[in-house]
Each structure stands twice: as structure tokens, then as C-alpha cells.
Amino acid sequence: MVKQKIVIKVSMEGGYSAGYLCCLMKLTSMECPTKRSKALKIAVGFSGVISASLDGEDKIVVVGNGVDSVALTRMLRKGMHYAELISVKEEEKEEKKEEKKEATCLPYPCMQPYSYVVYL
């Protein structure tokens, strides 16, 4: 499978759960810890997801193998009341360039095998 990087814009405003608590504390949309954790729980609970993180104020970046991005967006819409699929990209592979070093031959000292004396 190919790793995918999915970016979804999620509105942390509105919604019925924990909205009252955030209004009492006068927090902005991203400062509300319950909404952020709810969005991340939905994203991580989806099959095939390797990692999920918040990017900026209202974007969730999900990395996974064979993740259905449309179904993930629908699940976030059900839980967060607004979700918009921004982009789906193939994860870039970091290619490590290995420099070939020439093997230098070092002279090893010539060692005689041990001689054992057998006394009878």
C-alpha cells in the first residue's frame, strides 16, 4: 500500500458537545481542548491511519496506508458538524543517499598459532 497524506479542514466551532464549556471559558475554536481531542480521536480511530496531527488553526493532517479519505471526511462531519477535504497526496519517500567508501586494507600482524606442549 502507498502512504497517503490527507489534509482536512475541520471547524472546531459550533457543535453541541463541549460548546457550553468553551463559551464559558471564552476560548477560540482551536483553544478548546475537548473539540481538538474529539476530532483527533475520530481521525485516529479510522482504519489504516498511522498518525494524525493538528496543522495551523483548523486543519488535521492524517497519514496512513489505504485510508478512504471521503469516508474519513464524512465521519468528521458527523462528529464536528463541518469538515472539508483539502488535499490527498502520496507521502514523499525520503531517499537516503549512501556514499560508497572505498575499503582500505590494513595490514594485520602475522600471528603464529599457539603451540601446546603435551607432557606424557
Side-chain angles (χ1 to χ4, degrees):
M1 291 264 168
V2 178
K3 274 191 178 180
Q4 297 174 334
K5 182 177 180 182
I6 303 167
V7 180
I8 301 172
K9 182 178 179 180
V10 178
S11 174
M12 303 285 179
E13 299 174 3
Y16 303 109
S17 62
Y20 182 70
L21 176 67
C22 292
C23 289
L24 285 177
M25 296 170 53
K26 299 199 181 211
L27 298 174
T28 61
S29 60
M30 277 305 285
E31 291 175 349
C32 184
T34 55
K35 290 183 182 181
R36 282 185 291 168
S37 65
K38 183 177 180 180
L40 287 175
K41 281 181 187 177
I42 292 170
V44 172
F46 209 74
S47 64
V49 173
I50 296 172
S51 69
S53 63
L54 292 171
D55 183 33
E57 290 188 16
D58 57 353
K59 292 180 184 173
I60 295 178
V61 178
V62 178
V63 177
N65 288 332
V67 179
D68 187 4
S69 57
V70 175
L72 178 60
T73 307
R74 283 184 193 156
M75 290 295 288
L76 284 168
R77 276 189 195 133
K78 286 181 181 179
M80 302 303 296
H81 302 288
Y82 176 78
E84 180 182 349
L85 184 62
I86 301 293
S87 68
V88 178
K89 292 188 227 176
E90 184 177 324
E91 183 71 17
E92 297 174 0
K93 296 180 182 178
E94 297 178 12
E95 295 181 17
K96 295 181 182 179
K97 294 182 180 177
E98 296 181 17
E99 296 178 14
K100 293 184 179 179
K101 296 181 182 178
E102 291 184 22
T104 56
C105 295
L106 298 174
Y108 290 102
C110 181
M111 297 184 69
Q112 298 280 330
Y114 293 109
S115 60
Y116 296 100
V117 178
V118 179
Y119 295 102
L120 296 174

